[in-house]
Amino acid sequence: MQVMNSTMQMEASAPLPIKLEKSPYEVVHLLSSSNAVVVFSTTDCCMSTVAKRLLFSLGVGPTVVELDEHVAGHDIKAFLYQLAGTTLQPPIPAVFIGGKFLGGVEALMANHINGTLIPLLKEAGALWL
């Protein structure tokens, strides 16, 4: 790309950055509303691993956002704390099914044990059987 400098001469430069930044709310909303299942996770969290493995074992391919590798991970994590309504219990992993916030690994496991997880996943379009 070429741009004009202040003396009106053409010079080569890097492309201008396009503003693609979104607020943490927008990122979470966009991902959760456009994917059947989303897991906000960190690579070093054992509970995140449990949540992802459970979903994979059920035949679900969730969209996984590793917050420790995401450029806005810290801000998204802060938003998830607000969404969870707690500062005592970490919001990671945060599981969204069908665009709705389910909760963390405890809520995911509770739904699995009481038999409501499979219907939720089917309703969201994450399972077809």
Side-chain angles (χ1 to χ4, degrees):
M1 175 179 190
Q2 296 201 351
V3 295
M4 297 289 250
N5 66 15
S6 60
T7 61
M8 302 301 279
Q9 297 172 332
M10 296 289 285
E11 65 180 42
S13 71
L16 296 175
I18 299 171
K19 187 176 184 217
L20 295 176
E21 296 175 17
K22 297 189 182 310
S23 72
Y25 167 80
E26 291 170 321
V27 170
V28 171
H29 178 71
L30 178 66
L31 286 169
S32 64
S33 65
S34 60
N35 295 283
V37 180
V38 180
V39 178
F40 290 91
S41 170
T42 58
T43 56
D44 62 349
C45 174
C46 62
M47 291 297 109
S48 293
T49 301
V50 168
K52 292 181 282 189
R53 285 192 179 199
L54 172 61
L55 291 167
F56 284 124
S57 73
L58 295 172
V60 175
T63 298
V64 176
V65 180
E66 299 293 354
L67 296 175
D68 54 338
E69 296 176 351
H70 193 282
V71 68
H74 179 73
D75 294 332
I76 294 170
K77 193 173 184 178
F79 172 72
L80 293 171
Y81 267 103
Q82 292 176 344
L83 185 62
T86 181
T87 57
L88 301 175
Q89 191 172 20
I92 304 301
V95 180
F96 289 79
I97 298 177
K100 298 175 185 163
F101 179 57
L102 180 68
V105 71
E106 298 86 3
L108 182 67
M109 295 303 273
N111 279 272
H112 180 55
I113 290 167
N114 71 23
T116 58
L117 182 59
I118 299 294
L120 279 174
L121 294 169
K122 286 180 180 177
E123 185 180 322
L127 287 177
W128 294 275
L129 300 175

